[in-house]
PDB file of all heavy atoms in Angstrom:
ATOM      1  N   VAL A 294       0.527  11.066 -13.650  1.00  0.00           N
ATOM      2  CA  VAL A 294       0.298  11.820 -12.407  1.00  0.00           C
ATOM      3  C   VAL A 294       1.624  12.034 -11.665  1.00  0.00           C
ATOM      4  O   VAL A 294       1.944  13.143 -11.234  1.00  0.00           O
ATOM      5  CB  VAL A 294      -0.704  11.062 -11.488  1.00  0.00           C
ATOM      6  CG1 VAL A 294      -0.769  11.712 -10.114  1.00  0.00           C
ATOM      7  CG2 VAL A 294      -2.085  11.010 -12.121  1.00  0.00           C
ATOM      8  N   ALA A 295       2.386  10.958 -11.520  1.00  0.00           N
ATOM      9  CA  ALA A 295       3.613  11.012 -10.709  1.00  0.00           C
ATOM     10  C   ALA A 295       4.675  11.919 -11.335  1.00  0.00           C
ATOM     11  O   ALA A 295       5.432  12.578 -10.624  1.00  0.00           O
ATOM     12  CB  ALA A 295       4.169   9.599 -10.508  1.00  0.00           C
ATOM     13  N   GLU A 296       4.685  11.939 -12.661  1.00  0.00           N
ATOM     14  CA  GLU A 296       5.654  12.781 -13.379  1.00  0.00           C
ATOM     15  C   GLU A 296       5.555  14.242 -12.947  1.00  0.00           C
ATOM     16  O   GLU A 296       6.558  14.937 -12.842  1.00  0.00           O
ATOM     17  CB  GLU A 296       5.324  12.694 -14.872  1.00  0.00           C
ATOM     18  CG  GLU A 296       6.520  12.672 -15.784  1.00  0.00           C
ATOM     19  CD  GLU A 296       6.093  12.206 -17.153  1.00  0.00           C
ATOM     20  OE1 GLU A 296       5.476  13.021 -17.868  1.00  0.00           O
ATOM     21  OE2 GLU A 296       6.347  11.023 -17.483  1.00  0.00           O
ATOM     22  N   LYS A 297       4.316  14.682 -12.687  1.00  0.00           N
ATOM     23  CA  LYS A 297       4.094  16.105 -12.366  1.00  0.00           C
ATOM     24  C   LYS A 297       4.282  16.429 -10.891  1.00  0.00           C
ATOM     25  O   LYS A 297       4.252  17.589 -10.499  1.00  0.00           O
ATOM     26  CB  LYS A 297       2.684  16.510 -12.785  1.00  0.00           C
ATOM     27  CG  LYS A 297       2.471  16.474 -14.277  1.00  0.00           C
ATOM     28  CD  LYS A 297       1.233  17.277 -14.670  1.00  0.00           C
ATOM     29  CE  LYS A 297       0.836  17.016 -16.106  1.00  0.00           C
ATOM     30  NZ  LYS A 297       0.050  15.765 -16.272  1.00  0.00           N
ATOM     31  N   LEU A 298       4.430  15.399 -10.057  1.00  0.00           N
ATOM     32  CA  LEU A 298       4.564  15.663  -8.617  1.00  0.00           C
ATOM     33  C   LEU A 298       6.007  16.017  -8.270  1.00  0.00           C
ATOM     34  O   LEU A 298       6.931  15.294  -8.642  1.00  0.00           O
ATOM     35  CB  LEU A 298       4.198  14.411  -7.808  1.00  0.00           C
ATOM     36  CG  LEU A 298       2.741  14.087  -7.508  1.00  0.00           C
ATOM     37  CD1 LEU A 298       2.677  12.839  -6.634  1.00  0.00           C
ATOM     38  CD2 LEU A 298       2.020  15.241  -6.835  1.00  0.00           C
ATOM     39  N   THR A 299       6.194  17.114  -7.524  1.00  0.00           N
ATOM     40  CA  THR A 299       7.539  17.417  -7.031  1.00  0.00           C
ATOM     41  C   THR A 299       7.782  16.532  -5.803  1.00  0.00           C
ATOM     42  O   THR A 299       6.830  15.979  -5.234  1.00  0.00           O
ATOM     43  CB  THR A 299       7.634  18.890  -6.594  1.00  0.00           C
ATOM     44  OG1 THR A 299       6.728  19.084  -5.484  1.00  0.00           O
ATOM     45  CG2 THR A 299       7.264  19.841  -7.724  1.00  0.00           C
ATOM     46  N   ALA A 300       9.024  16.421  -5.369  1.00  0.00           N
ATOM     47  CA  ALA A 300       9.337  15.592  -4.200  1.00  0.00           C
ATOM     48  C   ALA A 300       8.576  16.065  -2.950  1.00  0.00           C
ATOM     49  O   ALA A 300       7.971  15.241  -2.263  1.00  0.00           O
ATOM     50  CB  ALA A 300      10.842  15.551  -3.971  1.00  0.00           C
ATOM     51  N   PRO A 301       8.569  17.390  -2.642  1.00  0.00           N
ATOM     52  CA  PRO A 301       7.809  17.820  -1.462  1.00  0.00           C
ATOM     53  C   PRO A 301       6.315  17.520  -1.571  1.00  0.00           C
ATOM     54  O   PRO A 301       5.665  17.174  -0.588  1.00  0.00           O
ATOM     55  CB  PRO A 301       8.053  19.342  -1.403  1.00  0.00           C
ATOM     56  CG  PRO A 301       9.279  19.575  -2.200  1.00  0.00           C
ATOM     57  CD  PRO A 301       9.313  18.521  -3.249  1.00  0.00           C
ATOM     58  N   GLU A 302       5.752  17.621  -2.797  1.00  0.00           N
ATOM     59  CA  GLU A 302       4.328  17.294  -2.973  1.00  0.00           C
ATOM     60  C   GLU A 302       4.082  15.812  -2.717  1.00  0.00           C
ATOM     61  O   GLU A 302       3.115  15.433  -2.057  1.00  0.00           O
ATOM     62  CB  GLU A 302       3.878  17.653  -4.402  1.00  0.00           C
ATOM     63  CG  GLU A 302       3.679  19.140  -4.621  1.00  0.00           C
ATOM     64  CD  GLU A 302       3.386  19.504  -6.081  1.00  0.00           C
ATOM     65  OE1 GLU A 302       3.714  18.701  -6.996  1.00  0.00           O
ATOM     66  OE2 GLU A 302       2.852  20.593  -6.304  1.00  0.00           O
ATOM     67  N   ALA A 303       4.978  14.978  -3.258  1.00  0.00           N
ATOM     68  CA  ALA A 303       4.834  13.523  -3.060  1.00  0.00           C
ATOM     69  C   ALA A 303       4.893  13.200  -1.565  1.00  0.00           C
ATOM     70  O   ALA A 303       4.112  12.387  -1.063  1.00  0.00           O
ATOM     71  CB  ALA A 303       5.939  12.773  -3.809  1.00  0.00           C
ATOM     72  N   TYR A 304       5.792  13.870  -0.866  1.00  0.00           N
ATOM     73  CA  TYR A 304       5.946  13.620   0.568  1.00  0.00           C
ATOM     74  C   TYR A 304       4.662  13.952   1.326  1.00  0.00           C
ATOM     75  O   TYR A 304       4.185  13.144   2.128  1.00  0.00           O
ATOM     76  CB  TYR A 304       7.125  14.453   1.103  1.00  0.00           C
ATOM     77  CG  TYR A 304       7.271  14.352   2.592  1.00  0.00           C
ATOM     78  CD1 TYR A 304       7.910  13.263   3.176  1.00  0.00           C
ATOM     79  CD2 TYR A 304       6.718  15.330   3.421  1.00  0.00           C
ATOM     80  CE1 TYR A 304       7.999  13.154   4.551  1.00  0.00           C
ATOM     81  CE2 TYR A 304       6.806  15.231   4.798  1.00  0.00           C
ATOM     82  CZ  TYR A 304       7.443  14.145   5.356  1.00  0.00           C
ATOM     83  OH  TYR A 304       7.528  14.024   6.712  1.00  0.00           O
ATOM     84  N   ILE A 305       4.067  15.122   1.060  1.00  0.00           N
ATOM     85  CA  ILE A 305       2.878  15.499   1.846  1.00  0.00           C
ATOM     86  C   ILE A 305       1.646  14.671   1.468  1.00  0.00           C
ATOM     87  O   ILE A 305       0.854  14.337   2.333  1.00  0.00           O
ATOM     88  CB  ILE A 305       2.573  17.033   1.847  1.00  0.00           C
ATOM     89  CG1 ILE A 305       2.350  17.560   0.438  1.00  0.00           C
ATOM     90  CG2 ILE A 305       3.637  17.810   2.617  1.00  0.00           C
ATOM     91  CD1 ILE A 305       1.745  18.976   0.407  1.00  0.00           C
ATOM     92  N   VAL A 306       1.510  14.300   0.187  1.00  0.00           N
ATOM     93  CA  VAL A 306       0.322  13.470  -0.137  1.00  0.00           C
ATOM     94  C   VAL A 306       0.467  12.071   0.439  1.00  0.00           C
ATOM     95  O   VAL A 306      -0.514  11.464   0.859  1.00  0.00           O
ATOM     96  CB  VAL A 306      -0.047  13.372  -1.648  1.00  0.00           C
ATOM     97  CG1 VAL A 306      -0.647  14.649  -2.164  1.00  0.00           C
ATOM     98  CG2 VAL A 306       1.075  12.905  -2.509  1.00  0.00           C
ATOM     99  N   ALA A 307       1.703  11.557   0.477  1.00  0.00           N
ATOM    100  CA  ALA A 307       1.928  10.228   1.075  1.00  0.00           C
ATOM    101  C   ALA A 307       1.555  10.262   2.559  1.00  0.00           C
ATOM    102  O   ALA A 307       0.845   9.377   3.055  1.00  0.00           O
ATOM    103  CB  ALA A 307       3.383   9.797   0.889  1.00  0.00           C
TER     104      ALA A 307
END
Side-chain angles (χ1 to χ4, degrees):
V294 171
E296 218 164 76
K297 294 197 192 81
L298 278 183
T299 64
E302 284 174 339
Y304 175 81
I305 59 167
V306 287

